[in-house]
Amino acid sequence: MNIIFATSNRGKLREAEEILGEGFRLSTPADFGITEDIPETGSTLEENSQLKAEYIHSRTRLDCFADDTGLEVDALGGAPGVRTARYAGDGHDFGACMDKLLREMEGIDSPQRRRARFRSVVTLIFGGQTLRFEGVLEGWIAFGKSGCGGFGYDPVFIADEFPDCTLAEISEEAKNDISHRGKALRAMAAWLRGKGN
């Protein structure tokens, strides 16, 4: 099944290909000459996910999906949330975003008070239908960066399933098994396999 993933993030693309597995062939907007940044003007993850999917569908008229993911930190009132990728300013500089997050968490000295979650919302436009799938990964914010795997905020996020290391310190396969995006994409894949064919 051919489907467009509305992303330019190679890490996300690789992760999605591994999670969806055989039977799916993903292409990106760049494969269709769409190289501009897709506007993300929504105030929620749901809105941004839908905006991105609709943007690609309106230009290609092909089946596609998009995700928007946010890191929600309880001690920060749910921030950075919808601003996760731009927390330290425009440009998707995750190093700067993590530095800002760790600064804002200074003095919050226990894992219980550093609770957080990643939440992914995937919008699928397929055969004229628009569907939404969601996945959540619970955990807490580490006291510093650790590990060199993954991408985004992985070096500062400790998942409940792996309490002794950050997401950047576990294998990609292990991360995909528990990840927020993995949960949402597996739900999408199950729908496509069962009802989309």
Side-chain angles (χ1 to χ4, degrees):
M1 180 181 304
N2 296 323
I3 192 162
I4 304 170
F5 183 12
T7 188
S8 59
N9 183 315
R10 302 307 295 178
K12 280 188 180 184
L13 178 63
R14 185 180 68 250
E15 186 178 72
E17 287 171 336
E18 291 175 2
I19 290 165
L20 294 175
E22 291 183 18
F24 291 91
R25 182 182 173 279
L26 299 185
S27 48
T28 67
D31 296 325
F32 297 87
I34 302 168
T35 57
E36 66 271 22
D37 285 340
I38 301 173
E40 295 182 51
T41 56
S43 59
T44 65
L45 299 177
E46 290 80 3
E47 289 174 3
N48 277 342
S49 175
Q50 184 152 345
L51 283 168
K52 289 187 278 188
E54 289 174 348
Y55 187 92
I56 296 304
H57 187 260
S58 71
R59 282 154 180 76
T60 65
R61 311 311 302 173
L62 298 172
D63 297 328
C64 63
F65 70 95
D67 89 300
D68 201 34
T69 294
L71 174 63
E72 301 170 344
V73 180
D74 292 347
L76 302 178
V82 74
R83 297 282 306 158
T84 293
R86 297 171 179 82
Y87 195 42
D90 290 337
H92 295 76
D93 182 344
F94 283 104
C97 289
M98 284 185 285
D99 290 342
K100 178 179 179 180
L101 176 64
L102 291 172
R103 281 194 307 274
E104 293 188 349
M105 299 290 288
E106 285 177 5
I108 303 174
D109 57 2
S110 71
Q112 293 79 14
R113 294 181 59 222
R114 298 173 74 92
R115 293 296 300 170
R117 71 209 43 81
F118 278 114
R119 191 162 67 89
S120 283
V121 177
V122 171
T123 299
L124 169 69
I125 300 177
F126 185 89
Q129 296 184 73
T130 300
L131 299 104
R132 184 176 294 150
F133 306 91
E134 186 172 325
V136 176
L137 177 62
E138 295 284 347
W140 59 281
I141 302 300
F143 296 100
K145 299 178 193 175
S146 185
C148 56
F151 57 91
Y153 288 80
D154 288 355
V156 297
F157 189 87
I158 297 174
D160 289 344
E161 291 86 343
F162 292 93
D164 298 320
C165 53
T166 68
L167 289 180
E169 295 176 297
I170 64 175
S171 71
E172 199 160 316
E173 182 179 42
K175 179 189 167 187
N176 289 345
D177 284 345
I178 65 167
S179 82
H180 43 294
R181 190 173 295 106
K183 291 171 186 174
L185 289 178
R186 278 189 289 275
M188 181 187 80
W191 185 87
L192 285 168
R193 289 187 179 104
K195 296 181 181 177
N197 292 326

